């Protein structure tokens, strides 16, 4: 007596083959979209089953095929654009990695003094400012240096040698540069940007996501860097 519950279709097939076939069948049945192969099958079936007295209109068929071709072309263009974006991102990542060891200008007035090399900055006096005062404060907020100038305008370079008002060499650490002056008779704070050295780069999916680690200071976004120098 034969066993009606036995699946004879599995004879000669390994368990891994059966599993792969079931997975493929499940994936196809769960899909709610039609690809070009599915469309051609439907079109072929429609042509074979059409009413000879009322055949499918040739113009309508050509329009449908044209639309399918356009959709397929758009899919190819989209795929190619993704590849281009990926290539650009990779190129940007390589460019960003070349910044290690170089000096960049950030919009922060706080920078790291390494105890040896001068701390450099830029002070923006706009259309002009009088009675300029530049102060250096340490990490605790204590003023360790003060400098004055009669006037200045535009972007001005400033360099601090790391000594206090008495000429004593100060230790390495974070220091903040503050600048002020008068414009049109009113006291104003002037924007200060400082230079820092790039120690490492954390690459992101795009340039805006890439982060620079500045030695002794911390992380800043590449998009926040306004100038790159040697």
């Amino acid at each position: 007596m034969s066993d009606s519950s036995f699946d004879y279709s599995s004879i000669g097939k390994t368990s891994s083959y059966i599993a792969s076939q079931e997975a493929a069948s499940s994936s196809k049945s769960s899909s709610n979209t039609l690809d070009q192969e599915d469309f051609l099958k439907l079109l072929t079936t429609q042509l074979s089953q059409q009413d000879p007295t009322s055949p499918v209109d040739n113009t309508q068929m050509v329009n449908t095929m044209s639309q399918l071709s356009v959709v397929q072309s758009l899919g190819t263009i989209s795929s190619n654009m993704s590849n281009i974006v990926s290539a650009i991102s990779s190129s940007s990542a390589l460019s960003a990695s070349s910044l290690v060891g170089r000096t960049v200008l950030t919009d922060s007035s706080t920078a790291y003094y390494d105890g040896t090399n001068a701390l450099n900055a830029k002070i923006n006096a706009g259309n002009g400012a009088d009675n300029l005062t530049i102060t250096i404060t340490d990490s605790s907020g204590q003023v360790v240096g003060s400098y004055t100038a009669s006037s200045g305008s535009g972007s001005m370079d400033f360099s601090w040698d790391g000594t206090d008002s008495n000429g004593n060499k100060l230790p390495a650490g974070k220091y903040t540069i503050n600048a002020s002056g008068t414009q049109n008779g009113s006291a104003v704070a002037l924007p200060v940007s400082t230079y820092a050295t790039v120690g490492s780069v954390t690459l992101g999916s795009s340039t805006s996501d890439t982060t620079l680690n500045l030695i002794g200071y911390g992380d800043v976004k590449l998009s926040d860097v306004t100038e790159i120098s040697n």
Side-chain angles (χ1 to χ4, degrees):
M1 179 180 296
S2 62
D3 185 359
S4 59
S5 63
F6 181 77
D7 184 7
Y8 291 92
S9 64
S10 63
I11 296 177
K13 300 177 181 177
T14 63
S15 58
S16 60
Y17 175 81
I18 295 174
S20 64
Q21 291 295 101
E22 291 178 347
S25 176
S26 174
S27 175
K28 189 171 183 62
S29 62
S30 62
S31 175
N32 294 322
T33 61
L34 295 177
D35 56 18
Q36 185 178 22
E37 182 181 356
D38 294 327
F39 174 80
L40 291 176
K41 286 181 179 179
L42 289 174
L43 181 60
T44 303
T45 302
Q46 179 185 5
L47 293 175
S48 64
Q49 301 295 328
Q50 66 179 333
D51 184 357
T53 62
S54 181
V56 176
D57 183 69
N58 290 336
T59 302
Q60 181 180 3
M61 185 184 303
V62 171
N63 289 338
T64 303
M65 293 296 291
S66 299
Q67 292 173 4
L68 179 63
S69 178
V70 170
V71 170
Q72 185 178 16
S73 297
L74 289 176
T76 302
I77 292 174
S78 177
S79 177
N80 291 338
M81 287 299 297
S82 297
N83 292 335
I84 292 174
V85 171
S86 178
I88 293 175
S89 296
S90 298
S91 177
S92 299
L94 290 175
S95 299
S97 63
S98 68
L99 294 177
V100 175
R102 301 184 67 177
T103 301
V104 297
L105 182 66
T106 71
D107 58 3
S108 174
S109 60
T110 299
Y112 179 74
Y113 168 62
D114 63 7
T116 302
N117 299 302
L119 194 159
N120 298 310
K122 281 185 178 293
I123 300 171
N124 188 359
N127 293 327
D130 300 319
N131 305 316
L132 298 177
T133 299
I134 303 169
T135 58
I136 313 295
T137 58
D138 59 18
S139 57
S140 64
Q142 179 180 355
V143 176
V144 295
S146 181
Y147 309 87
T148 60
S150 58
S151 63
S153 62
S155 181
M156 304 179 298
D157 292 322
F158 175 78
S159 182
W160 177 58
D161 61 2
T163 59
D164 62 14
S165 300
N166 298 319
N168 300 315
K169 201 71 172 178
L170 296 174
K174 288 184 179 181
Y175 292 86
T176 301
I177 301 174
N178 296 299
S180 61
T182 57
Q183 293 178 330
N184 299 321
S186 300
V188 295
L190 303 177
V192 177
S193 301
T194 56
Y195 289 93
T197 302
V198 180
S200 62
V201 178
T202 302
L203 302 178
S205 57
S206 63
T207 303
S208 59
D209 295 330
T210 299
T211 302
L212 306 181
N213 179 267
L214 306 182
I215 296 177
Y217 180 78
D219 296 337
V220 298
K221 289 185 176 181
L222 177 58
S223 56
D224 291 336
V225 170
T226 57
E227 181 184 312
I228 301 172
S229 60
N230 295 326

